[in-house]
Every structure is written in structure tokens, then in C-alpha cells.
């Protein structure tokens, strides 16, 4: 079972999201919060696998709550769920350590797929968000490419292999199968890569992989 914390200040929205998630027997909503502060407290007490957070909430907004959850409960992956698709929200969500970004206007199947992806150690962006991120990458690719190549200079050959597969969107289990190593070793490599690149999450590492030319 994938244990989920659901946080949104709109009761009807929480009920709708919970109904979508209940259609998958592998997903279990173990706690619900009506504001960001409550979400942080419940994440600490319940230690869910995934925290699904609205961006705009009272007391503590979703971005601040995500940062607190990543600090206090690092094993909990964070997915941002919002009606807003602007680039500044996307960038801020990634900066605070979110592993996924989904739009409330998206297909319900995206929500379920996103939860499964981040619970499995991968990252997930809704198609609309992914297009925005790719567009930003393409806009300054040459200049960013040189910087990214400098950043990966300190990685070992194996770490670059892992980073390339991570950038291609593979989960830890998939990377392990591809490289014929155990999943625990992959987790260790990913942790080392994030530290060496000085990034918060897999999405930021994947962007560097693309900018450096490790991923076609």
C-alpha cells in the first residue's frame, strides 16, 4: 500500500481527490489536512509515503509546507496539486524539494500515475508542466549546457550512468535492473549525485542531465 497525506483547504476538493485515489486499491489516504500547518504536523506523525499538497492554503501555504515536510520527514515524497500552471509556481515547487507537480484540471489518471511514480522514487510532472519545463530548457540550452557539464565533472563514471538513467525518467528499481545492481545501491548513488550536484531532488538532477547532454 502507498500511504498518502492529502492537504487542501477546500473540503469538496479533498473529497473529490480522495474518491479518485480510492479507485486504486494500492492507494490509501491515511490523513487529511485543511491547511499547511496541519499538513506538516500530520506528515510528522503519520510518516506517509506521499504528501499531496495544494499550493494555496491558510496558515502555511503548500510550498512552505513542502519545504517543512522534506526537512522533518525526508522519506515522504511531496507532490504539488494546484490549479495554477505558471512557471514561477513550478520553479518554486521544485526548489523546495517536490518530486511531482500536477494540475487539478488534469486527467484523474495522471494523479494516480503521479502518486505511483513518486512513491517508487521517480519524479512526475503533468504533461502541461513538462512542456513548460522542456521549453525553458530549450530556451537557453547552449549556455546552460556548458554550466551543466562543469557541474557533472566531479561525478564518477557510474554516477553519470545513474544520472543519465534518472534523467530519462527511470525509477530506482528500473535503474537497478538496467545496471544489474541492487536497488539499495541505486539509492546510495542517487543520494551521492544529489549531494555532489547540490540539488534538492531528482527533477533538478534530471534537468542537469538533459542540459549536460547525458540524455538525448
Amino acid at each position: 500500500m502507498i500511504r498518502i497525506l492529502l492537504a487542501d483547504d477546500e473540503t469538496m476538493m479533498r473529497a473529490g481527490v480522495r474518491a479518485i485515489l480510492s479507485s486504486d486499491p494500492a492507494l490509501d489516504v491515511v490523513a487529511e489536512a485543511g491547511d499547511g500547518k496541519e499538513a506538516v504536523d500530520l506528515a510528522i506523525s503519520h510518516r506517509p509515503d506521499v504528501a499531496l499538497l495544494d499550493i494555496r492554503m491558510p496558515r502555511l501555504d503548500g510550498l512552505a509546507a513542502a519545504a517543512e515536510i522534506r526537512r522533518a520527514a525526508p522519506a515522504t515524497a511531496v507532490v504539488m496539486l494546484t490549479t495554477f500552471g505558471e512557471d514561477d509556481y513550478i520553479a518554486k515547487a521544485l526548489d523546495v524539494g517536490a518530486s511531482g507537480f500536477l494540475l487539478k484540471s488534469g486527467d484523474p489518471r495522471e494523479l494516480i500515475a503521479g502518486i505511483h511514480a513518486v512513491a517508487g522514487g521517480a519524479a512526475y510532472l503533468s504533461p502541461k508542466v513538462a512542456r513548460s519545463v522542456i521549453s525553458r530548457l530549450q530556451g537557453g540550452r547552449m549556455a546552460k549546457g556548458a554550466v551543466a557539464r562543469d557541474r557533472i565533472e566531479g561525478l564518477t563514471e557510474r554516477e553519470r550512468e545513474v544520472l543519465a538513467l534518472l534523467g530519462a525518467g527511470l525509477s530506482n528499481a528500473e535503474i537497478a535492473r538496467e545496471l544489474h545492481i541492487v536497488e539499495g545501491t541505486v539509492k546510495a548513488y542517487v543520494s551521492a549525485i544529489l549531494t555532489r550536484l547540490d540539488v534538492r531532488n531528482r527533477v533538478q538532477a534530471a534537468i542537469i542531465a538533459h542540459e549536460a547532454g547525458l540524455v538525448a
Side-chain angles (χ1 to χ4, degrees), residues 151-152 154-155 159 163 166 187-202 204-205 208:
R151 294 183 71 175
I152 68 171
L155 299 182
E159 287 171 343
L163 178 60
L166 185 157
K187 291 180 179 179
Y189 276 125
V190 171
S191 178
I193 289 168
L194 298 185
T195 299
R196 290 177 184 273
L197 296 180
D198 191 26
V199 296
R200 290 176 178 266
N201 55 51
R202 297 171 71 97
Q204 292 174 327
I208 292 175

Side-chain angles (χ1 to χ4, degrees), residues 7 15 29 32 42 48 115 135 139 155 175 193 199 206 210:
V29 177
E32 292 186 32
L42 289 175
I115 294 293
S135 177
L155 299 182
I175 294 173
I193 289 168
V199 296
H210 280 268

